[in-house]
Amino acid sequence: MYLEDINSPSDIKKLNIEELKSLSSEIREFLINNVSNTGGHLGSNLGVVDLTLVLHYLFDSPKDAFIFDVGHQSYTHKIITGRKDKFSTLRTYGGLSGFPKRNESEHDIEETGHASTSLSFAYGLAVSKEILGNRGDVIAIIGDGAMTGGMALEALNNIAHTNTDIIIVLNNNEMSIGKNIGAVSKFLNTTLNDSLVQEASVKVRDIVSALPFGDIANEFIDRGKGAIRTFVAPGIAFREMGFKYFGPVDGHNYDELISTFQKVKSIRGPRLVQVNTLKGKGYKIAEENPAKFHGIAPFDVETGELKNKSSSKTFSNIAGECIIDAAEENKNIVAITAAMESGTGLTEYAKLFKDRFFDVGIAEQHAITFAVGLSENGIIPFVCLYSTFLQRGYDQVIHDIGIMNANVKLMIDRAGLVPEDGDTHQGVFDVSFLRIVPNMTIMAPVGEKDFRSMVKKCIEYKGPTVIRYNKSAVRELSDNLVSENFDIGKAHIVRDFSNNNNLIISYGPTLIDIAIAVDELNLNAAILNLSTLKPLDEETILKMIKKADKVLIIEEGVKSGGIGSALLELMSDNDIYKNVKIHALPDKFFEVATRNELLKLYKLDKDGLKDIIGNYF
């Protein structure tokens, strides 16, 4: 057992190549066993064990800075930089993050969780080292999936025309969350056909063998096959851009990896190494199901099946069903996503409507403006993205959707508090940044019934619409939580005033726990479900607020710029001054925890709401 003695990168430098290979097997077993209990990004991490070990074997972290794009493949890096004993806490409250975190280790240089950022950050770091005269290499490890992102291509274009000392490791496994698509992926996986190389070399070998020194000549031929593969795309293209290109290298062959990176270390300037790896390497079930094991909940190691299967529908499931129903009725309906087919519930839609499904890769900006172009000629595009990734296309939301008043339907998954992935993946900002965009219509369903109504209404409505929903099972609705006849811009009075003038205003699934909390408190409070967050139903809201003595606004989003702020603006515009309390999320980034733990921490679960409501009224 080598792993038990590995507590820092210096420890692996004491091993020989055969011992490194044994260590890699131990790390893969360690990863499989731990992630089977905590959940996490398994496939990508199994694929880069060998690459990560070789990089730490030859370079000196943190003097040499390792920048992991997305960061979901940094588990081996965490293990060998002193965090092995904490690995059972991965993605749990107070435990290790599933992404690089600077407060965990000096070896984590950048905090990240979104794709395509590593090259820009690494270039900045490398230039700063040159300006300050600091020593040490900068190594950016980026996958071929992340390379489809526009930001990565922008950085690549910039770096290639400099003499900056930077090493780019292109980890090519032909996958992002799902199978990569598009020209970049095809380009990166294009090499001269092996059968052609083999056929030509056999013919030449037969001729050369008959000549003097034929054995020596044939040895050069064998070396030449590798040179030929390197010379053709993508090698020649990267060289033409200005990179010193190496590869493609077998990412699981230690002799090749070590030999290549020793050469890379010995030269300066912008260098690019293409390393081909297998996602899920060493765990057959993950190798055969790379999309499933990209990010997975706790599972049984023997079968690969989830330990806690849920039969409950999620909002993502319902979104997929609704778009299928709409597409069956209307041939102008299309669905677009950005490398999130399964996560946004579009897997079945993609099978049924291949010609009306578009996965554009990790390219949210492009997805949004592409949808605007589609809408110009009467197509009705549903753009399905996670809230955290919609942020990446915010300029396009304003500049293209908003200004052009485009008939684009944004389906915003993972809105609100998001479990396990931590601060980079929270969907708590979208209400604040979307409600300020002119022409935007925003809806928030409580459950399945109003969700389906909202989808139908958004198709009828000519203009940009947003439906936002969280990552959770859809709960059953009690009577009267949602309107029987939902309409855009109309709030729904869940409970009217009775013997007091207390008013609670909210939206989304939070209303379910608000109603339960009010019942358990035996409180006669009026409850208003906004349903539509923009445009607000000003007439109903003002009528209710004028009657109230105290108003409590509750929302699962950041308080700054949220719906509470919108209602205060409305009251100010109408010279209404009442006792108002806003209970929302604070001005901070949010820690790793389960969704239930996060709701409890910020008093947005039933018990927390009872405390907030009871103390205020």
Side-chain angles (χ1 to χ4, degrees), residues 487-509:
D487 201 3
I488 291 174
K490 293 296 181 183
H492 171 63
I493 300 173
V494 176
R495 299 181 187 178
D496 211 337
F497 295 102
S498 53
N499 59 358
N500 63 41
N501 292 322
N502 297 323
L503 172 62
I504 301 172
I505 303 175
S506 190
Y507 58 89

Side-chain angles (χ1 to χ4, degrees), residues 18 82 88 165 176 214 218 281 424 432 438 533 587 603-604 609:
E18 292 305 313
S88 61
D165 288 335
S176 35
N218 277 323
K281 173 73 173 176
T424 59
S432 297
L533 309 185
D587 182 18
K603 294 193 172 185
L604 285 165
L609 290 168

Side-chain angles (χ1 to χ4, degrees), residues 422-452:
D423 50 12
T424 59
H425 282 62
Q426 297 300 334
V428 298
F429 306 107
D430 58 87
V431 170
S432 297
F433 69 69
L434 287 173
R435 81 169 187 87
I436 63 174
V437 181
N439 294 327
M440 197 64 64
T441 294
I442 308 171
M443 293 165 272
V446 180
E448 181 170 0
K449 180 180 177 181
D450 56 337
F451 190 110
R452 292 185 180 276

Side-chain angles (χ1 to χ4, degrees), residues 155-319:
L156 200 69
N157 178 64
N158 187 188
I159 294 166
H161 293 281
T162 73
N163 291 316
T164 302
D165 288 335
I166 184 172
I167 299 169
I168 298 171
V169 180
L170 175 54
N171 173 34
N172 180 32
N173 61 22
E174 302 183 47
M175 296 288 292
S176 35
I177 296 176
K179 189 74 173 175
N180 279 338
I181 52 91
V184 172
S185 177
K186 184 177 180 181
F187 162 72
L188 293 175
N189 289 289
T190 298
T191 56
L192 193 61
N193 186 290
D194 275 344
S195 63
L196 293 177
V197 176
Q198 185 64 33
E199 183 181 343
S201 66
V202 168
K203 289 180 179 177
V204 175
R205 182 184 295 277
D206 290 341
I207 296 170
V208 171
S209 295
L211 300 174
F213 309 107
D215 290 343
I216 296 173
N218 277 323
E219 183 179 341
F220 278 100
I221 290 171
D222 289 336
R223 294 179 183 178
K225 286 190 290 185
I228 292 169
R229 292 191 190 97
T230 300
F231 182 74
V232 298
I236 192 170
F238 284 124
R239 284 198 179 95
E240 285 298 312
M241 288 180 70
F243 288 97
K244 298 176 178 71
Y245 174 84
F246 298 82
V249 181
D250 182 346
H252 307 297
N253 183 311
Y254 280 81
D255 292 326
E256 278 192 46
L257 286 168
I258 290 173
S259 173
T260 299
F261 281 104
Q262 283 175 334
K263 292 175 188 173
V264 170
K265 278 189 69 174
S266 68
I267 61 175
R268 299 287 92 191
R271 290 146 282 169
L272 191 147
V273 186
Q274 181 176 330
V275 180
N276 293 342
T277 62
L278 177 64
K279 200 167 186 178
K281 173 73 173 176
Y283 182 40
K284 188 173 178 61
I285 299 174
E287 290 178 15
E288 294 173 347
N289 302 276
K292 176 181 177 181
F293 281 87
H294 170 80
I296 191 166
F299 64 94
D300 181 88
V301 174
E302 295 299 320
T303 65
E305 295 300 316
L306 299 182
K307 289 180 177 178
N308 300 306
K309 282 188 176 180
S310 174
S311 57
S312 301
K313 271 188 178 180
T314 64
F315 283 107
S316 305
N317 299 145
I318 298 171

Side-chain angles (χ1 to χ4, degrees), residues 12-68:
I12 70 168
K13 298 180 188 297
K14 302 171 187 176
L15 306 179
N16 59 41
I17 293 179
E18 292 305 313
E19 290 170 332
L20 277 180
K21 292 178 183 178
S22 297
L23 175 61
S24 72
S25 297
E26 292 178 28
I27 288 176
R28 284 191 169 93
E29 184 178 357
F30 179 87
L31 285 172
I32 293 164
N33 289 333
N34 274 274
V35 176
S36 72
N37 291 321
T38 63
H41 293 94
L42 184 61
S44 53
N45 282 287
L46 291 175
V48 298
V49 172
D50 308 302
L51 172 61
T52 308
L53 286 178
V54 167
L55 290 175
H56 274 291
Y57 189 66
L58 296 176
F59 294 90
D60 296 310
S61 177
K63 183 189 77 173
D64 296 323
F66 292 175
I67 311 300
F68 292 91

